[in-house]
Amino acid sequence: MTGGLAATIDVTVGAFRLDVALDVPPGETVAVVGPNGAGKTTLLRALAGLLPIGAGRIALAEAVLDDPTTGQFVTVEERPIGVVFQDYLLFPHLGALDNVAFGLRSRGATTAAANEQARRWLTRVGLGDLTKAKPRQLSGGQAQRVALARALATEPTLLLLDEPLAALDATTRVDTRRDLRRHLRAHDGVRLVITHDALDAAALADRIVVIEAGRVVQQGTLAEITARPRSRYVADLVGVNLLAGRAVDGRVDVGGLELAIAETVGGDVLLAIPPRAITLSRHRPDSTARNVWAGVVDGVDRSEQRARVRVRARVTVVAEVTEASARELDLADGAEVWVAVKATEIGVSPA
Amino acid sequence: MRRRARPPIVAVCIGGVAATFFLLPLVGLARRAPWSSLLSDLTDPAARTALRLSLICSLWATVVAVGAGLPLAWVLARVEFPGRRLVRALVLVPLVLPPVVGGVALLLAFGRRGLLGQYLDRWFGITLPFTTAGAVVAEAFVAMPFLVVTAEAAFRGTDRRYEDAARTLGAKRWTVFRRVTLPSTWPALAAGAVLAWARALGEFGATITFAGNTPGRTTTIPLQVYLLLESGRLDGAIALSLVLLGVSVAVLALLRERWVGAL
């Protein structure tokens, strides 16, 4: 692997210890997911150089940024990084253009050159006409775009985003997420997104790294993690079945399967079905659930009390049932089962 | 209808007396003020010299207080070092020390035979006591704490994450200070500077002890007021007092928002 991020980080802050390894090739977006206090922000601060590591090594594009054994430490201001902070942290006394130009000017560009380039970046994020606006005059979505432009303007090798969508309301979030994905794809360095939202991780990242209590508990693509979540937290968070489809009049076509939903949206949508909301039975259920279909068991993952069952049909979903009912239903690979989901249990988000 | 609680009479009475205690001297000053001869009292050569000297000394003292006090305030707010609490307490000494004692202490430090003063004299030929520079030193000594305390509070109160953000954008320390910290703290810093200036302008005890009372060199307004009173020229003393009172009222008006906000 050349040019990517290779980090082994061992750092202690108070009573908390973060001990993770992370390898990200250029051009890949990794989502770091974890509950509050898992060490996500500590990880970001260590990568950015705001927190020197206690042991390990951080290398980016073949250059060592932090290595306590050799004493090598590249300071924050000299690292080729761009950070989009959680609350954006746009400088309140500067206009949008000056905010975006800040990094360029700090790195030695003349005011004219910096402004010129900042203007181009603002235009790229669709805010070419808001150059003078102060941060407090910007909406949440606009502020997020300015923060992104500011981080990208210095063309960093490593782009770090800390909960870039968390501060936005649901409607803004959908558009901003789509644009963010486009800008991330266009950036050719290493991209790292910290989030606690499965949908954000799924939409933005190629790979997901889950950390809990300072350790990496699991990593892989969303599909891999969904199939075999290794902890309760992961199961709850990314264990959700995410299905893409097209909605018309409260019905969604998902790969040929038609599902009823409780919301009136149209167009491309993402559906989220929690595995525990799915009921399985061996015979066609006499149920009030509006969504019922037949499928074939394609893998059963048993833990102490629960079993996660993959059911293949036109779409594949994972259902979670108790270990007792899995035994009772005799759910083995190849078994034919009926799947039932209430319309109200399906989360809907425009894609 | 609920009966309104009766105000506590005793406290109201004593409070009224206390308020009058503050008001009465001002009334006395205004009532006795030589309004008709005010202009000639203030343009009198000795008064003009004192006014000019006061302005120069207090501004230089403010420059010294800001120039030395800002870095000190920043270090106290941002750098952890052993003895930081001690230094913080040290900064407050001139606030509680009687100014006369401050003047004596300055003499023992910067006088011709003082701790540092002997070397200033021997090596550089610099003598501070009884010079205008000495008056500036005395004023800066009593004024700087106001600047340091205000500025330190401002630096500690800023959201450090903005400075982190600036550093990730490649800004070096000085750039971070100039383009991020300073813009977010300047109202507080300006208030601190104004307070320090006002304190320097009114300085009496340390100045007269350390710098003496030489007209044209160290006789600032407060010292001139004292001289005039001693020689029985009450009108001139009141006229200059009114100038200082006016400055105080102006500073109060200027910083009222900040103080009311802080209370």
Side-chain angles (χ1 to χ4, degrees):
Chain A
M1 190 187 76
T2 58
L5 171 72
T8 5
I9 293 171
D10 188 343
V11 62
T12 303
V13 184
F16 175 79
R17 182 169 171 213
L18 176 75
D19 183 7
V20 298
L22 208 60
D23 280 294
V24 190
E28 186 180 56
T29 306
V30 162
V32 176
V33 183
N36 285 337
K40 303 185 299 263
T41 300
T42 306
L43 172 67
L44 178 126
R45 290 180 65 82
L47 290 173
L50 291 165
L51 182 69
I53 60 175
R57 190 170 185 269
I58 299 173
L60 178 66
E62 320 280 286
V64 176
L65 298 182
D66 193 348
D67 187 347
T69 56
T70 62
Q72 175 109 345
F73 182 76
V74 178
T75 57
V76 186
E77 55 268 31
E78 311 218 300
R79 293 192 183 191
I81 51 168
V83 186
V84 175
F85 289 91
Q86 187 160 11
D87 305 315
Y88 314 138
L89 301 181
L90 296 175
F91 305 122
H93 58 288
L94 297 180
L97 186 80
D98 286 334
N99 261 287
V100 178
F102 191 97
L104 298 160
R105 286 186 56 185
S106 294
R107 289 175 201 265
T110 64
T111 309
N115 285 353
E116 166 67 32
Q117 206 163 333
R119 199 179 304 276
R120 270 209 299 277
W121 276 103
L122 273 182
T123 309
R124 258 175 95 164
V125 298
L127 298 175
D129 50 348
L130 281 176
T131 55
K132 290 216 164 53
K134 291 278 165 61
R136 64 171 181 281
Q137 299 167 311
L138 299 171
S139 71
Q142 288 168 339
Q144 199 267 4
R145 281 154 209 251
V146 174
L148 181 66
R150 183 175 73 170
L152 285 170
T154 53
E155 290 171 19
T157 315
L158 171 61
L159 183 64
L160 301 165
L161 302 99
D162 191 1
E163 301 277 5
L165 301 165
L168 303 174
D169 59 66
T171 3
T172 320
R173 201 174 171 131
V174 174
D175 291 339
T176 315
R177 186 194 291 130
R178 189 187 48 229
D179 291 341
L180 180 58
R181 176 167 58 187
R182 186 163 54 81
H183 290 299
L184 287 181
R185 295 273 143 87
H187 175 254
D188 55 10
V190 174
R191 287 101 56 166
L192 207 90
V193 185
I194 285 173
T195 178
H196 64 267
D197 185 288
L199 218 52
D200 290 347
L204 298 175
D206 306 304
R207 187 156 60 92
I208 294 170
V209 173
V210 185
I211 60 175
E212 275 179 72
R215 300 278 191 290
V216 172
V217 293
Q218 192 166 9
Q219 54 182 310
T221 63
L222 183 69
E224 286 164 4
I225 289 179
T226 311
R228 281 172 185 277
R230 286 212 207 120
S231 75
R232 190 72 243 154
Y233 168 77
V234 182
D236 286 344
L237 186 96
V238 286
V240 171
N241 294 291
L242 288 174
L243 308 171
R246 199 171 172 75
V248 182
D249 292 339
R251 301 196 69 80
V252 183
D253 179 22
V254 184
L257 179 73
E258 192 153 282
L259 294 179
I261 55 175
E263 283 161 67
T264 50
V265 289
D268 290 333
V269 290
L270 266 179
L271 303 183
I273 309 175
R276 273 181 280 187
I278 297 177
T279 328
L280 299 180
S281 51
R282 289 309 287 262
H283 305 286
R284 187 179 176 97
D286 185 19
S287 158
T288 57
R290 306 236 341 253
N291 299 301
V292 176
W293 71 89
V296 177
V297 174
D298 182 27
V300 180
D301 193 17
R302 291 187 152 90
S303 63
E304 296 141 36
Q305 314 263 305
R306 297 174 161 84
R308 292 173 63 85
V309 185
R310 256 169 81 87
V311 181
R312 190 158 43 78
R314 283 208 170 103
V315 294
T316 300
V317 292
V318 173
E320 187 178 288
V321 295
T322 61
E323 170 60 24
S325 62
R327 258 202 320 275
E328 199 181 300
L329 291 171
D330 193 17
L331 295 177
D333 281 9
E336 284 176 21
V337 287
W338 286 84
V339 178
V341 192
K342 288 170 142 186
T344 50
E345 295 280 4
I346 302 180
V348 185
S349 154
Chain B
M1 206 174 93
R2 258 185 67 203
R3 214 160 60 92
R4 278 180 61 187
R6 196 165 50 88
I9 299 280
V10 176
V12 169
C13 287
I14 297 176
V17 170
T20 315
F21 178 62
F22 286 124
L23 183 65
L24 222 47
L26 297 179
V27 174
L29 201 60
R31 208 176 72 90
R32 182 58 185 76
W35 297 110
S36 51
S37 66
L38 196 61
L39 199 67
S40 62
D41 283 329
L42 290 178
T43 49
D44 158 82
R48 271 166 51 189
T49 308
L51 283 167
R52 203 171 59 91
L53 188 67
S54 254
L55 197 64
I56 291 170
C57 286
S58 60
L59 285 177
W60 271 113
T62 309
V63 168
V64 171
V66 171
L70 269 195
L72 176 59
W74 191 88
V75 169
L76 285 176
R78 292 298 160 80
V79 185
E80 276 190 47
F81 59 93
R84 180 160 69 163
R85 289 161 63 104
L86 198 70
V87 176
R88 221 174 251 150
L90 205 59
V91 168
L92 299 178
V93 166
L95 282 182
V96 293
L97 197 67
V100 174
V101 178
V104 173
L106 284 171
L107 266 180
L108 297 176
F110 301 106
R112 289 183 73 166
R113 275 194 285 274
L115 214 53
L116 182 68
Q118 55 179 316
Y119 300 108
L120 288 179
D121 187 36
R122 203 181 306 160
W123 295 344
F124 307 106
I126 297 174
T127 318
L128 286 175
F130 311 110
T131 63
T132 304
V136 171
V137 168
E139 289 183 2
F141 180 73
V142 294
M144 202 182 323
F146 288 89
L147 188 280
V148 175
V149 168
T150 318
E152 195 205 335
F155 290 147
R156 286 159 79 84
T158 57
D159 190 340
R160 298 282 300 274
R161 297 178 309 151
Y162 286 97
E163 296 174 11
D164 288 345
R167 293 178 66 201
T168 67
L169 290 164
K172 306 252 188 313
R173 264 211 187 104
W174 173 241
T175 311
V176 173
F177 181 76
R178 193 173 51 83
R179 296 201 62 200
V180 179
T181 316
L182 212 50
S184 69
T185 51
W186 82 262
L189 303 184
V194 168
L195 276 179
W197 174 73
R199 178 67 187 88
L201 192 68
E203 217 311 293
F204 177 79
T207 314
I208 200 164
T209 316
F210 181 58
N213 197 350
T214 319
R217 277 170 67 188
T218 66
T219 304
T220 54
I221 302 174
L223 274 63
Q224 177 71 9
V225 169
Y226 172 73
L227 276 183
L228 291 170
L229 271 180
E230 286 286 278
S231 58
R233 287 152 64 198
L234 192 56
D235 283 0
I238 294 174
L240 284 176
S241 296
L242 284 176
V243 171
L244 291 182
L245 177 64
V247 169
S248 309
V249 170
V251 169
L252 184 65
L254 192 70
L255 301 182
R256 192 179 52 106
E257 289 293 309
R258 296 193 60 80
W259 282 334
V260 170
L263 291 177

